[in-house]
Amino acid sequence: MVQDCIFCKIINKEIPAEVLYENDDVLVFKDIKPVSPIHLLIIPKKHIPTFFDLQPEDSRMMGEVQRAAATVARDMGLAQKGFRLVANCMEDSGQVIFHLHYHLLGGKRLPWLAG
Ligand code: AMP
Ligand code: ZN
């Protein structure tokens, strides 16, 4: 738990979120400003600011993060058409919240990102 981290506060139920899946390592909830019909955030419960902060002992947990993405995508009916998992890392990507997270986007044919 890191003070003033909005995602840590969601994990600790200090601020509300539409949670779709939770286990010991991972929380999945709806993005508050969806950019596609399905837009979820998949986060580790451990506060890790960016990919550059990942430690060797985080590998199993990060595997669980990605497996949770597939589990929830299947539950949301995306098994046939698929989805996109994308993560922003620092300034050039436009990262706003420095608690590592994946965006799960789906529910329509997605255009590729501008480069
Ligand atoms: P980024 O850090 O740029 O990868 O994106 C942060 C994402 O968090 C944005 O898509 C926001 O809409 C989303 N977000 C910010 N605050 C909340 C919140 N309280 N509940 C759900 N999603 C949020
Ligand atoms: Zn945090």
Side-chain angles (χ1 to χ4, degrees), residues 7 29-33 41 88 94-97 101 103:
F7 286 177
F29 53 97
K30 290 189 181 176
D31 195 292
I32 207 167
K33 279 192 191 166
L41 297 171
N88 294 321
Q95 183 178 6
V96 173
I97 299 188
H101 55 280
H103 298 254

Side-chain angles (χ1 to χ4, degrees), residues 7 18 37 59:
F7 286 177
E18 277 194 68
S59 297

Side-chain angles (χ1 to χ4, degrees), residues 14 17-19 30 33 47 49 87 92 112:
E14 288 172 31
E18 277 194 68
V19 173
K30 290 189 181 176
K33 279 192 191 166
H47 181 88
D92 273 357
W112 185 233

Side-chain angles (χ1 to χ4, degrees), residues 7-28:
F7 286 177
C8 282
K9 287 182 178 163
I10 287 174
I11 291 162
N12 285 318
K13 316 290 184 209
E14 288 172 31
I15 62 171
E18 277 194 68
V19 173
L20 298 176
Y21 179 87
E22 181 168 12
N23 66 26
D24 286 348
D25 297 309
V26 186
L27 191 71
V28 182

